[in-house]
Amino acid sequence: MNRVPVDIGGWPPEAFWDWSVALYDRPGVETACLELQRRHRIDVNLVLLCLWLGARGTALDGEALARLCHGADRWQHEVVRPLRGLRRRLKARIADREPNSVAGDWPELAASLRERALALEIDAERLEQLQLARVVASLPAGAAAGGPGLAGANLRHYWRFDRRDRKALRTLLERAFLQAAPADLDDGLLWLDGASA
């Protein structure tokens, strides 16, 4: 996910998206998300959803998680990842301007094209978040005690993270739960102690 604001108009209001954008702007969050994405090829939107639901007091169950992953995986595979790949290829072409190439002869236009690809990628991420929020809307908010412990449990249900992920996950919990005590943040990740790297 990127934090460049895009407004194509007609977007319905969505608390999850607003919360995600605010969180992503906090120091260390983008780096932590990208580290987890690179290491595991996971969907950052689902990581953010685990945190958001934890803050709302909503526990993920197996059935809801299966529905979330099915729809998100397909959207990521068919839409988001191809757009991300295009954006990255354009970035590489612009950085390595070969003589008599499109990017070499028209660098400003190639950079503009990359910016539009980025905007499309962000729109695709936003659409995915709208769908994720719709799927979890039926889950009871506030049914559990919200906080880093529940967010950690949601993350554990989502993916088989291991000890290598502790720093990134701790950063995400710290930034998502600014008022949480350090011990509560640590308790949210106790399950990693038994995970192998």
Side-chain angles (χ1 to χ4, degrees), residues 6-195:
V6 177
D7 188 7
I8 61 171
W11 288 105
E14 177 48 56
F16 173 41
W17 175 257
D18 295 340
W19 184 89
S20 295
V21 169
L23 177 63
Y24 210 77
D25 273 342
R26 293 179 185 160
V29 171
E30 179 179 5
T31 300
C33 286
L34 294 178
E35 178 184 330
L36 295 172
Q37 183 182 64
R38 277 191 296 272
R39 184 175 296 137
H40 301 289
R41 289 194 44 87
I42 59 173
D43 185 347
V44 168
N45 286 318
L46 288 170
V47 170
L48 295 171
L49 184 71
C50 290
L51 296 167
W52 182 65
L53 291 176
R56 295 179 65 225
T58 302
L60 274 176
D61 61 27
E63 181 183 326
L65 191 56
R67 285 183 298 163
L68 290 164
C69 289
H70 175 73
D73 288 348
R74 187 170 179 186
W75 184 253
Q76 283 281 321
H77 176 73
E78 294 176 355
V79 179
V80 177
R81 287 184 190 139
L83 288 169
R84 184 176 299 134
L86 171 63
R87 175 181 54 82
R88 288 176 177 167
R89 285 190 303 279
L90 285 167
K91 181 179 180 180
R93 297 299 264 163
I94 293 167
D96 183 27
R97 296 181 189 162
E98 297 175 7
N100 298 318
S101 70
V102 172
D105 291 347
W106 307 99
E108 294 84 13
L109 293 174
S112 175
L113 182 61
R114 181 185 175 274
E115 288 301 313
R116 287 187 284 158
L118 174 60
L120 286 172
E121 182 185 350
I122 293 168
D123 285 348
E125 299 271 14
R126 190 171 184 177
L127 275 170
E128 179 185 342
Q129 283 206 2
L130 287 172
Q131 182 62 24
L132 293 173
R134 177 174 283 174
V135 171
V136 299
S138 62
L139 297 176
L150 182 56
N154 286 342
L155 288 165
R156 181 180 187 186
H157 279 73
Y158 167 54
W159 197 258
R160 293 178 311 272
F161 294 107
D162 59 52
R163 287 176 286 189
R164 296 174 301 163
D165 303 314
R166 180 178 295 281
K167 182 178 177 186
L169 292 173
R170 172 66 190 255
T171 297
L172 293 177
L173 289 178
E174 284 175 0
R175 301 301 182 231
F177 301 95
L178 295 173
Q179 306 302 319
D184 292 335
L185 296 169
D186 291 336
D187 287 349
L189 297 175
L190 283 177
W191 52 274
L192 281 176
D193 294 337

